[in-house]
Amino acid sequence: MTLWRPIEVLLVEDDQADIVLTREAFDLNKVRNRLNVVNDGEQAMAYLRRQSGFAHAQRPDLILLDLNLPRMSGLEVLREVKADIELRTIPVVILTTSEAEEDILHSYRLHANAYVSKPVDFEAFIRVVRQIDDFFVTVVKLPAQG
């Protein structure tokens, strides 16, 4: 029997309101996963590679990635993650305000695992984040850490 462990989630998001809402959605959920946050694409890559102050960062089991980021776009982060043999097995869910067909197509071409448009309504946003969290905890089999 496999013992349950919380999953490590890396949220790559520069909008403080969305960070607060995502934290709230995780806090309201009955499963206590660990939500770590970085605010731009360069920080995301440093976190994932355990560089520049992130030497002790836990490898995430799941990445929630905004596309509209400063310093390095979400698509650039996705491209680097999926090109890196050490990181490519981490599921990446694009969680963004963009509903542009070109962003959706480009994300899937770069091997995003899912593309979710952020609802503008508070309750709907909370519900969507909780559904993502629930799906990756109860439905999906994630690779072991390491």
Side-chain angles (χ1 to χ4, degrees):
M1 177 190 330
T2 304
L3 294 176
W4 177 87
R5 69 168 175 81
I7 66 169
E8 295 286 333
V9 179
L10 177 62
L11 174 63
V12 186
E13 175 62 68
D14 64 319
D15 184 299
Q16 291 304 308
D18 286 348
I19 292 169
V20 169
L21 287 176
T22 305
R23 283 193 190 283
E24 187 171 323
F26 272 70
D27 289 345
L28 291 172
N29 207 343
K30 59 193 167 294
V31 178
R32 298 290 185 212
N33 294 322
R34 293 187 196 107
L35 184 64
N36 303 289
V37 179
V38 294
N39 300 115
D40 65 53
E42 287 182 4
Q43 283 183 350
M45 294 313 303
Y47 184 99
L48 292 166
R49 292 180 174 142
R50 297 181 177 130
Q51 301 168 338
S52 303
F54 296 107
H56 301 290
Q58 285 285 326
R59 176 188 165 92
D61 297 296
L62 173 65
I63 300 169
L64 300 178
L65 179 62
D66 188 18
L67 291 184
N68 305 308
L69 297 169
R71 300 175 59 197
M72 181 181 199
S73 77
L75 289 172
E76 291 171 307
V77 171
L78 179 60
R79 181 181 295 111
E80 284 199 32
V81 167
K82 294 304 181 177
D84 187 316
I85 197 160
E86 298 296 320
L87 303 174
R88 70 172 57 146
T89 58
I90 303 171
V92 178
V93 174
I94 303 300
L95 183 60
T96 188
T97 56
S98 174
E99 294 183 12
E101 186 65 30
E102 66 187 52
D103 286 340
I104 297 167
L105 186 57
H106 200 168
S107 295
Y108 282 119
R109 283 184 177 153
L110 292 173
H111 306 288
N113 297 86
Y115 191 102
V116 179
S117 294
K118 293 178 191 172
V120 293
D121 172 76
F122 170 80
E123 292 298 325
F125 184 90
I126 296 290
R127 197 168 37 255
V128 163
V129 171
R130 290 182 70 185
Q131 288 171 338
I132 292 168
D133 185 43
D134 285 342
F135 179 74
F136 280 94
V137 170
T138 61
V139 177
V140 173
K141 178 79 173 150
L142 295 170
Q145 288 274 345

